[in-house]
Amino acid sequence: MTKRTPRHGLDAQGIETGAKLFWNLETAPLVEHAVHRGEGKLAKDGPLVVATGKHTGRSANDKFIVRDAGTEDTVWWGKSNRPMRPEHFAALKADFLATLAQRETLFVQDLYGGSQPEHRVNVRVINELAWHNLFIRTMLVRPDESELDWFAPEYTIIDLPSFRADPERHGTRSETVIAVNLTDKLILIGGTAYAGEMKKSVFGLLNYLLPPKGVMPMHCSANIGPAGDTAVFFGLSGTGKTTLSADASRTLIGDDEHGWSDSAVFNFEGGCYAKMIRLSPEAEPEIFATTKRFGTVLENVVMDPESRQLDLDDAGLAENSRGAYPIDFIPNTSAHNLGPVPKNIIFLTADAFGVMPPIAKLTPEQAMYHFLSGYTAKVAGTEIGVTEPEATFSTCFGAAFMPRHPSEYGNLLKERIARGGVNCWLVNTGWAGGMATQAGIKRMPIKLTRALLGAALDGSLNHAEFRIDPNFGFKVPVSVAGVDSSVLDPRESWANKTQYDTIAAKLVDLFNENFAQFADHVDESVRQSAPRAPLPA
């Protein structure tokens, strides 16, 4: 037994296996195992490059939560939270354990989900792939060596990509399964090599455990300004959470998952998971630099087999190519992965309709409305069958990871905003001057977004002159120092104003149709924050 082998082993959990167990290996030996076993290759500058096969993203339709007496009335059952019968999970667990018993080698990591000690959870992860073990060690919070000896898991994840579920026996939709048993404190992942399933399973777990404690779980990035002011960035994938929070002038807390307690904003993780496709060394220098570091894991990034040179512009393996790296690979990161409670909240949207302004200020009621809406838009070409902008609403900016009813998270957020006098902003990182599908229409430059965010976060935008947006009712600055005022009014940037009005009215209708499901769960002031298309002149 080494210092990295805990006293509380697998046998104490009722897991029997004759496999050789590699406990809590660090980066270098895990990379060595991955390369030796043919799981991946080293790129020219040091990162480990792997492919995830047919699953290059989450299998949302294959995720289940066991429906039992403990979860019947606490889980928001529906499209995002599909039920699994206890007897189906029991059969699945038995087959997972039988598979573990037959493995020759297994890799195990003992980790924390959450950086604030009083709100973290002990998670044990068992992998058949070395690179998966490296990934989850990179992404979660790593205990000190002195803590590993006495580590006892509260929750366990078993991830076996080679496992094939049986829909008839296990109650699954396909051979792929992500099954969460909150009562047994066990998560089983099979039939997919996409490593992000592990990290999002821990996120979902914390989203279930923290609200009853009064802690707000958030799908967001967060950073701290020179004056100690924390900013939180909510947003769905592709809206810029990781890019905008990795700002050299501010201290990074984390890029994806956080909790908001009475005393802190704390990262759930110890690593970052950034999109790599078309990553720019000019626009995203801090993240680009991680692609040249030993210890970074690159998923589905194309690499020349001879020179081992990366091609970040090649989407041949996946549009959703990803990089996982320790958070301290980004300059100026928080030593303890936490910071003060926030002064500013930013809701990021990539509006492909060209209707939203590049920045707007929200009231607390509008903030709750947009939080529950969780709007962004898909763009033609990013998904099969998408030929024009398509609105996407993911409540709380992460419906797939929210086991409880959205109103629980929304009310927590509204309460904390009011208590702290937090400034709330909506930032559009999408398109202006027309819809994304129209010729010549380009996405907002990151330089512009950073300038507007800078004015919001340093407080200067609080004293600006505002107009009221006729569709959404929020306040939009008339001018911002160093920014061309013509870009602040989206209608004025359209050549065809009548077409803008038509598209804006369509988007307003989509918002209202989506929000109907929450109307009975919020108070009148939030319902009154709904957008309304102006009457024709």
Side-chain angles (χ1 to χ4, degrees):
M1 181 177 291
T2 69
K3 290 183 179 180
R4 307 190 72 83
T5 304
R7 298 171 188 266
H8 191 98
L10 297 186
D11 54 344
Q13 298 179 256
I15 298 175
E16 297 181 1
T17 178
K20 182 175 183 180
L21 300 178
F22 290 97
W23 285 94
N24 296 307
L25 294 185
E26 296 189 41
T27 299
L30 283 171
V31 170
E32 288 176 352
H33 278 288
V35 172
H36 178 70
R37 290 157 55 93
E39 298 174 6
K41 295 182 178 180
L42 287 178
K44 176 175 177 288
D45 296 305
L48 178 68
V49 180
V50 299
T52 63
K54 68 176 183 178
H55 292 282
T56 59
R58 292 183 306 102
S59 299
N61 293 329
D62 294 305
K63 176 193 166 190
F64 301 88
I65 298 176
V66 176
R67 190 169 192 162
D68 56 23
T71 58
E72 176 68 40
D73 298 323
T74 54
V75 169
W76 181 43
W77 301 108
K79 181 180 178 181
S80 297
N81 297 306
R82 295 171 174 81
M84 174 177 277
R85 292 163 54 184
E87 55 267 34
H88 281 143
F89 184 85
L92 185 68
K93 177 181 176 181
D95 292 346
F96 258 73
L97 294 182
T99 302
L100 281 185
Q102 298 168 1
R103 288 289 172 269
E104 294 182 359
T105 304
L106 291 170
F107 301 88
V108 189
Q109 288 286 335
D110 290 329
L111 301 158
Y112 296 133
S115 298
Q116 191 168 14
E118 56 267 43
H119 300 305
R120 70 190 181 198
V121 62
N122 292 8
V123 180
R124 172 167 289 170
V125 186
I126 304 169
N127 299 112
E128 63 179 352
L129 296 179
W131 86 259
H132 269 199
N133 207 236
L134 173 60
F135 172 92
I136 200 63
R137 182 180 187 275
T138 301
M139 292 310 306
L140 294 187
V141 179
R142 298 166 288 280
D144 293 334
E145 189 172 282
S146 61
E147 298 173 298
L148 290 173
D149 187 26
W150 296 99
F151 188 98
E154 299 170 74
Y155 290 82
T156 299
I157 297 173
I158 304 175
D159 189 341
L160 304 174
S162 66
F163 185 90
R164 296 293 180 265
D166 179 345
E168 184 175 348
R169 174 171 165 78
H170 303 132
T172 59
R173 186 188 68 97
S174 69
E175 292 184 335
T176 300
V177 62
I178 302 96
V180 180
N181 192 319
L182 293 164
T183 301
D184 283 2
K185 300 184 176 182
L186 179 63
I187 299 171
L188 304 175
I189 302 172
T192 172
Y194 182 66
E197 297 287 10
M198 291 182 286
K199 104 181 200 80
K200 288 305 185 187
S201 292
V202 176
F203 185 40
L205 177 62
L206 288 166
N207 284 333
Y208 183 78
L209 296 175
L210 293 180
K213 299 171 66 176
V215 177
M216 174 70 189
M218 304 177 292
H219 187 210
C220 69
S221 58
N223 62 26
I224 313 168
D229 56 303
T230 296
V232 166
F233 301 77
F234 287 98
L236 298 172
S237 179
T239 57
K241 289 196 317 298
T242 299
T243 296
L244 293 172
S245 58
D247 183 336
S249 68
R250 297 176 64 87
T251 300
L252 180 67
I253 301 174
D255 82 321
D256 195 37
E257 304 169 3
H258 295 80
W260 181 354
S261 68
D262 289 339
S263 59
V265 168
F266 62 97
N267 195 351
F268 288 168
E269 302 182 309
C272 298
Y273 195 36
K275 279 197 169 187
M276 292 288 115
I277 193 67
R278 293 177 286 278
L279 192 68
S280 163
E282 292 77 30
E284 299 117 338
E286 294 85 7
I287 301 172
F288 184 84
T290 69
T291 67
K292 299 179 179 295
R293 294 284 299 270
F294 178 81
T296 293
V297 180
L298 297 176
E299 296 176 354
N300 303 314
V301 170
V302 173
M303 178 177 68
D304 184 277
E306 299 297 329
S307 67
R308 303 292 179 92
Q309 184 69 43
L310 303 174
D311 185 351
L312 299 179
D313 295 328
D314 190 335
L317 292 177
E319 180 73 23
N320 187 39
S321 57
R322 292 272 180 169
Y325 48 87
I327 191 171
D328 59 13
F329 278 15
I330 299 293
N332 195 24
T333 55
S334 167
H336 301 291
N337 288 353
L338 51 80
V341 295
K343 295 289 186 184
N344 289 279
I345 288 176
I346 297 97
F347 298 116
L348 299 170
T349 183
D351 176 31
F353 291 92
V355 169
M356 294 284 194
I359 194 165
K361 190 170 186 179
L362 311 179
T363 66
E365 292 76 21
Q366 289 170 337
M368 184 173 178
Y369 182 92
H370 284 276
F371 178 69
L372 290 176
S373 297
Y375 166 71
T376 192
K378 297 177 183 176
V379 184
T382 60
E383 292 193 20
I384 296 173
V386 181
T387 58
E388 63 178 47
E390 181 179 313
T392 297
F393 295 96
S394 183
T395 184
C396 308
F397 293 95
F401 322 118
M402 305 294 170
R404 297 180 178 274
H405 193 278
S407 61
E408 291 192 47
Y409 306 106
N411 285 320
L412 260 176
L413 181 69
K414 184 183 175 187
E415 172 190 320
R416 290 200 169 276
I417 289 172
R419 188 190 308 174
V422 181
N423 291 311
C424 300
W425 309 90
L426 181 77
V427 172
N428 176 19
T429 61
W431 287 257
M435 293 189 292
T437 49
Q438 295 176 331
I441 302 304
K442 296 182 179 180
R443 193 161 181 179
M444 303 271 186
I446 291 178
K447 185 177 180 181
L448 168 66
T449 302
R450 287 198 186 278
L452 294 171
L453 274 176
L457 298 182
D458 69 17
S460 60
L461 206 52
N462 291 325
H463 309 293
E465 178 187 353
F466 291 92
R467 65 175 180 86
I468 301 300
D469 184 272
N471 295 291
F472 288 87
F474 40 49
K475 297 196 297 184
V476 179
V478 174
S479 63
V480 177
V483 174
D484 182 351
S485 296
S486 65
V487 305
L488 298 175
D489 186 341
R491 187 176 189 271
E492 290 304 310
S493 67
W494 279 57
N496 188 329
K497 306 294 191 291
T498 301
Q499 186 184 27
Y500 171 87
D501 293 338
T502 300
I503 298 300
K506 174 184 176 181
L507 186 57
V508 166
D509 287 343
L510 292 172
F511 263 87
N512 287 320
E513 289 169 12
N514 172 74
F515 201 79
Q517 62 185 309
F518 306 123
D520 292 338
H521 299 278
V522 299
D523 60 34
E524 182 61 20
S525 64
V526 177
R527 288 193 289 271
Q528 288 299 317
S529 298
R532 294 173 178 81
L535 296 173

